[in-house]
Amino acid sequence: MYPGTYARTRPDAAALIMAGSGETLSYRELDRRSNRLAQLLYARGLRPGDHIAIFMENHARYFETVWAALRSGLYYTPINWHLTAGEAAFIANDCGARALIASTELAEPAQDLIDQAPGVEIRLMCDSASGSTVAGYERFEDAVALYPDEPLREEVEGMPMMYSSGTTGRPKGILPPLPGIKPGDPHPLADPGRNMWGFGESTIYLSPAPLYHAAPIVGSTIVQRFGGTVVCMERFDAEKFLSYVEQYRITHSQLVPTMFVRMLKLAPELREKYDLGSLELVMHAAAPCPVDIKHQMFEWWGPIIHEYYAGSENSGTTMIGPQEWLLHPGSVGRASVGAVHILDDDGNELPVGEPGTVWFENPNTNFVYHNDPEKTANAFNEHGWSTLGDVGYLDESDYLYLTDRKAFMIISGGVNIYPQEAENLLILHPKVYDVAVIGVPDPEMGEQVKAVVQPSDPDEAGPELEHELLEFCRSRLAHYKCPRSVDFDPALPRLENGKLYKRLIKDRYWGDQDSRIL
C-alpha cells in the first residue's frame, strides 16, 4: 500500500499518466523522485508535523510533492491556483508553510507570494526548462537532483491539511492528527476492508478535477496505494473526458454532478461517439445530484454509479450504491461508520422526514479548524457529534437526503427556503447551462428568491427567457420556492470541482448591507 512497494515489485508499471500530454511516471520514477524531494526537505530542516504548500496546476510534479510529504511526516496543503496572490498568501501564512512548491504556469502570483508570505523558507519552481526561474525561487529540477533517491532513514506517514473552498466565507484549514504510522503500514484511507471501490493493480483511474481539492488528490493517492494507474486530466472538458475513457480504457473515475450535467448537454452524436465499455465503477460526491440527472446517467452508463457524502473534516461518511439509490432516489446513503442524526436548532432530534442540521456520531472524528477554536467548538455538540453545516432529513430506513447548505438557506417572510430544489429543477431546462438560486434583499419580505442563470446560448438572455424559466419552475414547484426574477450571467463563478462561489454572486446584491448570509 505504498509506491515504494510497487517500485520493487512492478517498477515499470505506470503510477501516473497526464491525460493530455501523455507524460508518464512509473512507480520506480515516482518513488525515486519523491525520495529526492523528501531528502531535500529533511536536509533543509523540516521535520514531522511541519507544513508545505503546493501552488500548481494539475501537474506530474504535484504527485511527487505529495508523496514526498506523505513519506516525511509532513502536512501538505494544496492552494487553489485560481486564487489571487493575497488569497494564496493567506493560506500559506495560516498553515505555517515552511516550503512552497510552485510552477512557472503560476510564476506571476508566485512571485507576489515572496513578500506576502515571508515565513516560507524554501521556494521551488517546476518547469524552468531554460534553467532560470522567478527571482526568489530555486529551480525545482536542479535542487532535488543534489539529493539521493533513497528513502529517509526514518520515514513516517504525513497527511493532507486541506482548506475549505471559501464558497461561504474565508477558507478554513482542516487539521487532522498525524496517523502515527510508517509508510507501508496499513493506512486508514487504504484499508482493504474499506476498499469498496475495488481498487487494485489493474485499476485505471481517471481523475478529471483539480488536485487542490481533497477528493481528487486523496482519491488518486489511494489508487496508487493499491498499485493502480492514475490518469490525470489537466483540466476537465466534457468531450475530452469521454475520449480519455476510450483512449486509456478507464475502469474507475470520480466526478461531481456538474460534470454529469456538462456531458449530458453534449450533442447526442458526441455522447455516442466514444466507447465507454471499460468503465466498471464511477463515484460522485461534493454536491447532491439532481434525481433526473442521475436517472439520465444510469440510462447512459448503466448501474455503475456510486455516491458518497463526506467532508475533508472526516466527520462522517454516507455511501449508496446504484441499486440502493434506485430504491431511495435522491438519497446520499446511510452512515458507513457510526450514525447520522438530524437535529433542530435547539439540539433536539427530529422525526423521519423532517429537515434539520445533519450531525455525525463517529468515534473516529478528531479534526480541528486550524487557528479557529470557536469554529471548532461550534462544529461539535455536547454528545461529541460533529456537523458540516448541511441540512437534510432521514427516511424510515436511515437513508440521508440533503436539502442544502445551512448558509445558503433563504428566509423570505419568515419561511425557510432551500435553493437547491429550484437549482436542481432549472438545470434540467435545455436553455440553462448553469444556475445559482440565492436570496437578495427585499424591504418587505427580508429576502426574495432570485435565479442567476448562465444560458446555453448567451444571445437568448432576456425577458422572454426569464418568463419561460419562471413558468417552468412554477409549474413544477410550490410558488414560494420559485425565483421571483431571473438575472443572466455569461459565466457563473464555479470552481472546477463543481462548487459555486455563491458568496461572490450574493455580494453583487447585498453590497455593504448588513446580512445574516455569508
Side-chain angles (χ1 to χ4, degrees):
M1 297 184 186
Y2 193 62
T5 302
Y6 305 109
R8 294 188 295 272
T9 61
R10 304 172 61 239
D12 296 323
L16 171 70
I17 302 172
M18 297 304 296
S21 69
E23 180 182 359
T24 300
L25 282 182
S26 68
Y27 273 100
R28 178 194 291 114
E29 291 168 322
L30 178 59
D31 183 55
R32 289 178 175 176
R33 293 184 182 198
S34 60
N35 274 330
R36 288 186 186 277
L37 181 54
Q39 293 277 3
L40 180 154
L41 296 172
Y42 188 89
R44 303 281 185 94
L46 273 67
R47 296 294 182 268
D50 285 337
H51 295 249
I52 68 170
I54 308 172
F55 192 43
M56 284 191 279
E57 71 280 14
N58 284 10
H59 194 296
R61 304 293 87 74
Y62 219 113
F63 289 84
E64 298 167 22
T65 302
V66 165
W67 278 111
L70 290 176
R71 67 195 312 161
S72 305
L74 303 176
Y75 287 101
Y76 70 87
T77 292
I79 299 178
N80 181 338
W81 60 273
H82 293 286
L83 298 180
T84 65
E87 292 169 322
F90 167 79
I91 293 176
N93 291 326
D94 190 68
C95 75
R98 296 185 61 190
L100 174 69
I101 291 82
S103 70
T104 52
E105 180 75 18
L106 303 175
E108 186 174 340
Q111 188 167 37
D112 292 339
L113 281 174
I114 295 174
D115 293 332
Q116 297 187 46
V120 174
E121 306 160 29
I122 304 164
R123 297 184 184 88
L124 305 177
M125 184 165 283
C126 305
D127 283 345
S128 303
S130 65
S132 62
T133 186
V134 171
Y137 284 80
E138 299 174 72
R139 184 171 182 263
F140 179 97
E141 293 79 4
D142 291 342
V144 298
L146 300 175
Y147 292 87
D149 61 9
E150 299 297 322
L152 294 172
R153 183 173 300 175
E154 291 291 333
E155 289 190 308
V156 61
E157 275 276 359
M159 286 288 283
M161 178 180 167
M162 311 302 295
Y163 273 71
S164 65
S165 60
T167 52
T168 60
R170 201 164 199 179
K172 294 295 181 184
I174 301 157
L175 183 66
L178 292 173
I181 58 177
K182 295 181 178 180
D185 290 347
H187 193 286
L189 289 175
D191 181 345
R194 294 174 61 189
N195 183 17
M196 304 200 179
W197 316 122
F199 294 152
E201 294 181 4
S202 62
T203 296
I204 306 174
Y205 174 85
L206 182 56
S207 181
L211 296 174
Y212 54 72
H213 285 291
I217 189 59
V218 174
S220 294
T221 55
I222 291 176
V223 170
Q224 291 170 337
R225 289 182 187 275
F226 284 99
T229 297
V230 173
V231 180
C232 181
M233 292 181 69
E234 285 82 355
R235 296 190 70 166
F236 176 75
D237 175 88
E239 185 182 357
K240 284 184 178 178
F241 178 92
L242 301 177
S243 72
Y244 292 147
V245 171
E246 178 180 90
Q247 177 182 347
Y248 294 106
R249 307 307 298 157
I250 299 300
T251 62
H252 293 67
S253 189
Q254 181 169 192
L255 301 103
V256 296
T258 303
M259 295 174 180
F260 290 156
V261 172
R262 297 288 187 267
M263 288 187 282
L264 288 168
K265 288 184 180 290
L266 289 172
E269 59 270 21
L270 293 179
R271 288 175 49 187
E272 297 167 6
K273 179 178 178 181
Y274 301 99
D275 179 4
L276 310 181
S278 61
L279 280 175
E280 299 172 8
L281 185 147
V282 171
M283 63 195 92
H284 76 88
C289 186
V291 171
D292 286 352
I293 294 296
K294 196 158 179 180
H295 275 303
Q296 291 179 53
M297 290 303 300
F298 276 140
E299 291 172 8
W300 182 12
W301 289 2
I304 63 170
I305 301 172
H306 296 243
E307 182 172 0
Y308 69 93
Y309 162 60
S312 301
E313 290 86 344
N314 194 31
S315 57
T317 304
T318 66
M319 303 178 115
I320 190 166
Q323 301 304 331
E324 287 179 285
W325 189 90
L326 290 168
L327 295 173
H328 302 269
S331 173
V332 295
R334 292 193 287 188
S336 58
V337 178
V340 173
H341 301 271
I342 306 298
L343 306 182
D344 65 18
D345 289 342
D346 296 321
N348 301 308
E349 201 124 13
L350 292 170
V352 166
E354 188 168 336
T357 303
V358 179
W359 292 81
F360 280 102
E361 179 185 356
N362 181 359
N364 300 321
T365 300
N366 51 5
F367 71 92
V368 298
Y369 288 109
H370 190 54
N371 293 334
D372 199 333
E374 181 179 356
K375 184 176 176 66
T376 302
N378 290 337
F380 292 86
N381 66 10
E382 67 273 16
H383 304 296
W385 306 342
S386 61
T387 183
L388 301 174
D390 291 327
V391 176
Y393 63 90
L394 295 172
D395 68 13
E396 62 281 352
S397 301
D398 289 330
Y399 282 87
L400 175 64
Y401 298 74
L402 294 179
T403 307
D404 215 326
R405 292 284 298 175
K406 195 168 187 178
F408 295 158
M409 184 175 71
I410 301 165
I411 301 179
S412 183
V415 177
N416 293 349
I417 301 169
Y418 294 103
Q420 183 182 303
E421 282 189 275
E423 289 172 346
N424 287 352
L425 176 59
L426 286 168
I427 196 63
L428 299 175
H429 195 285
K431 295 181 181 178
V432 174
Y433 186 76
D434 204 355
V435 59
V437 174
I438 61 172
V440 298
D442 184 288
E444 179 183 358
M445 306 297 285
E447 290 184 273
Q448 181 186 122
V449 184
K450 177 181 285 290
V452 182
V453 167
Q454 179 179 341
S456 299
D457 181 355
D459 292 337
E460 292 192 328
E464 288 187 14
L465 181 54
E466 178 183 25
H467 177 75
E468 182 178 340
L469 295 179
L470 292 176
E471 288 303 310
F472 177 79
C473 201
R474 289 168 183 162
S475 67
R476 293 162 176 81
L477 269 186
H479 284 204
Y480 78 90
K481 298 179 180 180
C482 294
R484 298 276 301 278
S485 59
V486 177
D487 287 352
F488 296 99
D489 192 316
L492 295 186
R494 187 178 288 275
L495 300 177
E496 290 173 286
N497 74 335
K499 291 185 179 179
L500 275 169
Y501 266 123
K502 275 195 174 180
R503 172 174 52 83
L504 299 181
I505 300 173
K506 289 180 179 180
D507 285 350
R508 303 174 194 169
Y509 299 91
W510 288 91
D512 296 330
Q513 295 189 55
D514 203 11
S515 169
R516 63 173 184 81
I517 298 180
L518 296 175

